[in-house]
Amino acid sequence: MRHRKQTFKMQRTRSHRAALVSNMVTSLFKHEKIRTTDAKAQAVKGIAEHIISVAKRGDLAARRQCAATVKDPAVLRKLFAVLVPRMKDKTSGFVTVTKLWPRPGDAALMALMELHGAPDKPKHEEKPVTKQPKFKKKGEKKAESKKEDKPAKKDEKPAAKEEKKAEKKEKK
């Protein structure tokens, strides 16, 4: 009997499960919305909420405890600088799991996980616009110099063909 065994096994070894949960929690904090299977969403939800609760303390020990699960330093900074201040008035319910349609390939139930206060459309970082190098148009100086060399070669080819034809006639 599995009394008091509340771990979601998901048919994975312990190390694989730990890596999966760590990566999914990091992705959730990075993108603030992720789409995954319902079973994985239920497994990750409790851990993500626990990490946010620990991060609300804001001290060095809390940062190190969160860093054990959230491996990306940029996401860890975002957690403490952006996400935790947004959730300071809440005590729980930081992550919402919404059930979606079954996945077409294997009919696995899908779910959408999102953090409290996540924007509707994620803002993509705008890349600075760089000037494109100027390309020469057709018919400029460089192209003209190549055209001058080619006609000389074309003149030689017909002459060589005529000579070969004449040699063949002589052999017959």
Side-chain angles (χ1 to χ4, degrees):
M1 290 184 275
R2 292 194 75 241
H3 295 303
R4 297 185 55 160
K5 296 186 188 318
Q6 298 172 352
T7 304
F8 287 92
K9 296 273 186 167
M10 297 183 288
Q11 297 181 352
R12 288 167 170 78
T13 61
R14 187 206 169 280
S15 59
H16 189 184
R17 208 168 38 246
L20 176 104
V21 168
S22 174
N23 290 335
M24 290 193 68
V25 167
T26 303
S27 295
L28 178 64
F29 292 154
K30 182 177 182 180
H31 301 291
E32 299 187 25
K33 283 185 184 182
I34 58 172
R35 194 177 78 204
T36 183
T37 62
D38 189 42
K40 289 178 188 174
Q42 295 302 324
V44 170
K45 180 181 177 182
I47 295 168
E49 290 200 1
H50 178 71
I51 288 174
I52 293 171
S53 297
V54 169
K56 285 176 74 172
R57 290 196 323 240
D59 56 352
L60 181 61
R63 184 174 290 270
R64 288 181 177 166
Q65 281 180 325
C66 293
T69 304
V70 180
K71 306 289 190 215
D72 189 2
V75 176
L76 191 65
R77 283 191 296 272
K78 179 182 178 180
L79 173 66
F80 279 87
V82 177
L83 301 178
V84 169
R86 186 192 309 163
M87 300 178 193
K88 65 180 180 181
D89 57 337
K90 291 182 68 91
T91 56
S92 63
F94 307 118
V95 180
T96 306
V97 177
T98 307
K99 292 187 180 186
L100 301 175
W101 56 91
R103 187 163 51 196
D106 58 356
L109 294 175
M110 299 300 288
L112 178 71
M113 293 183 69
E114 60 184 330
L115 293 175
H116 171 72
D120 291 336
K121 293 183 180 178
K123 295 179 181 178
H124 296 289
E125 296 178 11
E126 294 182 12
K127 296 180 182 177
V129 179
T130 58
K131 292 185 179 180
Q132 295 289 332
K134 292 183 179 179
F135 295 104
K136 293 185 178 181
K137 294 180 182 177
K138 290 184 178 179
E140 288 190 8
K141 292 180 183 178
K142 193 171 186 180
E144 289 176 5
S145 63
K146 287 183 179 179
K147 287 181 182 177
E148 291 173 3
D149 296 337
K150 288 183 181 178
K153 291 179 182 177
K154 286 183 181 178
D155 292 337
E156 293 172 5
K157 288 180 183 178
K161 287 181 182 179
E162 289 175 8
E163 289 175 9
K164 288 181 182 178
K165 287 180 182 178
E167 289 175 11
K168 288 181 182 178
K169 285 181 182 179
E170 290 175 8
K171 287 180 183 177
K172 290 182 182 179

